[in-house]
Amino acid sequence: MNKDLFDFDENISKLIDTLESDGKIPHAVIIECDDKGKSLEIAKYLSMYAVCSSDNKPCGICKQCHNAFNQAHADIKYAYPEGKSGRYSIAQLRDIIEDSAIRPNDADTKVYIFESADERLDTVQQNSILKLIEEPPQNVLFIFTCENSRRLLITIRSRCTLLKISSEKSFDETSRQYAFDIVKGMVSTKEYDLLKALNVLTDKEKSGEVLQIVKLLLRDGLVLLLGGNAVTNEELARQLSTRFTMAKLILMIELTDDAERKIAQNININLLTTWLCGEYRRISWQR
């Protein structure tokens, strides 16, 4: 993939490369990142790739790329919220469903981009486009950007390829050390080490931030396995990538997401830490 037009770091470039197979990308992609500007930039890049007429996609030179880059391409639709609700309307989604069945105008592919899908698509709206995602017309690409993909229905997520992008963020040094200890406990063969490290989550003021850092460390381990570079802590990322497979790291990231949500719901912390320790260990040991 040609990324010269975009200021992507090496890690983002590596993750984007995982989408391409035999000169194609999946028909539906979820871009998860807490930097909305970065999400939109990646969505624009993928839309250029989809419509580019060159073999070196996206070339950035052809008419298709030029129009896509300037968000002026007839076959690339950006969905915008309607009314005061800030959400996409059912009528708007019906129009997209009907439009997707019509052949592209200028390119070989049609692209539909839904920004902040986790905020702008409620359950009813997601269900209204589920069949379209399940059985898409030929040569159609759907792109959903969001800060938290877990807010999307699992039926939607299961039919999309998820691209998780970590953004740089300044964290409290104590929270960083707590998170490092938890990851060291994951890597350790002694269950007590992990359970003891997870006890720091009783500090409710820091627990959410600690789990965010844990996710960044797990994602660093995943990026190393994909050939990229760690951002948060290279040594811990190396230990994670040596100890766990990609599938296990992905499960651990999802589990940490779940724990973060439970803490926000004021769950009993002692029960949470016991449950979380057991689940991390179950993932570690499974074949």
Side-chain angles (χ1 to χ4, degrees), residues 27 39 74 95 110 150 186 190 198 215 223 231 257 286:
H27 79 281
S39 292
D95 288 342
K110 276 191 170 183
R150 304 283 287 185
M186 292 179 188
K190 299 178 181 178
L198 287 169
K215 286 190 293 184
V223 168
V231 174
D257 268 334
Q286 71 182 20

Side-chain angles (χ1 to χ4, degrees), residues 11-268:
N11 291 322
I12 292 178
S13 294
K14 290 283 187 182
L15 286 173
I16 292 175
D17 285 344
T18 64
L19 293 177
E20 186 179 34
S21 177
D22 297 327
K24 297 180 181 179
I25 54 179
H27 79 281
V29 177
I30 296 173
I31 302 168
E32 180 182 278
C33 180
D34 56 16
D35 184 333
K36 294 184 179 181
K38 186 179 293 183
S39 292
L40 184 57
E41 191 175 40
I42 296 170
K44 182 187 291 187
Y45 172 85
L46 294 178
S47 72
M48 289 174 64
Y49 180 98
V51 301
C52 180
S53 57
S54 170
D55 291 333
N56 183 27
K57 301 181 179 185
C59 67
I61 300 172
C62 70
K63 176 184 176 182
Q64 309 287 355
C65 280
H66 177 76
N67 289 341
F69 186 80
N70 290 292
Q71 297 187 19
H73 198 290
D75 294 317
I76 301 174
K77 313 288 185 182
Y78 287 79
Y80 293 104
E82 297 180 346
K84 296 180 180 180
S85 69
R87 296 181 181 273
Y88 300 127
S89 69
I90 291 293
Q92 182 182 19
L93 297 175
R94 285 174 181 161
D95 288 342
I96 288 174
I97 292 170
E98 292 178 4
D99 184 73
S100 67
I102 302 172
R103 292 175 60 86
N105 295 285
D106 299 328
D108 293 330
T109 303
K110 276 191 170 183
V111 183
Y112 298 92
I113 298 174
F114 300 85
E115 296 179 57
S116 301
D118 54 338
E119 299 172 2
R120 296 174 177 173
L121 288 172
D122 62 21
T123 300
V124 173
Q125 294 158 338
Q126 290 180 56
N127 277 319
S128 73
I129 60 171
L130 177 57
K131 188 171 181 60
L132 180 63
I133 307 300
E134 289 178 325
E135 302 173 7
Q138 285 191 338
N139 300 324
V140 174
L141 169 63
F142 302 98
I143 302 174
F144 302 89
T145 73
C146 63
E147 291 188 23
N148 186 352
S149 63
R150 304 283 287 185
R151 295 176 188 153
L152 298 175
L153 295 176
I154 189 170
T155 47
I156 293 284
R157 299 200 313 267
S158 65
R159 288 157 178 81
C160 299
T161 298
L162 176 61
L163 195 66
K164 285 194 174 186
I165 306 296
S166 300
S167 60
E168 294 183 5
K169 183 175 179 179
S170 177
F171 291 109
D172 176 80
E173 190 57 39
T174 302
S175 297
R176 288 172 63 87
Q177 189 56 57
Y178 284 168
F180 292 173
D181 289 341
I182 289 173
V183 170
K184 289 175 184 176
M186 292 179 188
V187 174
S188 172
T189 57
K190 299 178 181 178
E191 185 170 347
Y192 174 75
D193 291 341
L194 177 56
L195 189 58
K196 180 181 178 182
L198 287 169
N199 190 54
V200 302
L201 297 179
T202 55
D203 185 345
K204 290 188 176 182
E205 290 186 3
K206 295 187 182 298
S207 58
E209 187 171 77
V210 169
L211 290 179
Q212 289 180 44
I213 301 169
V214 169
K215 286 190 293 184
L216 291 177
L217 291 165
L218 291 168
R219 287 171 184 168
D220 271 354
L222 188 60
V223 168
L224 280 188
L225 288 172
L226 291 169
N229 296 317
V231 174
T232 309
N233 185 295
E234 186 174 354
E235 174 57 26
L236 284 177
R238 184 191 62 77
Q239 292 180 34
L240 286 167
S241 64
T242 302
R243 177 86 163 78
F244 305 116
T245 63
M246 282 195 290
K248 289 183 178 181
L249 288 173
I250 290 171
L251 287 174
M252 286 179 166
I253 291 170
E254 292 178 348
L255 174 61
T256 310
D257 268 334
D258 196 15
E260 195 175 356
R261 273 200 317 278
K262 289 179 185 297
I263 285 178
Q265 296 168 358
N266 293 318
I267 192 173
N268 181 287

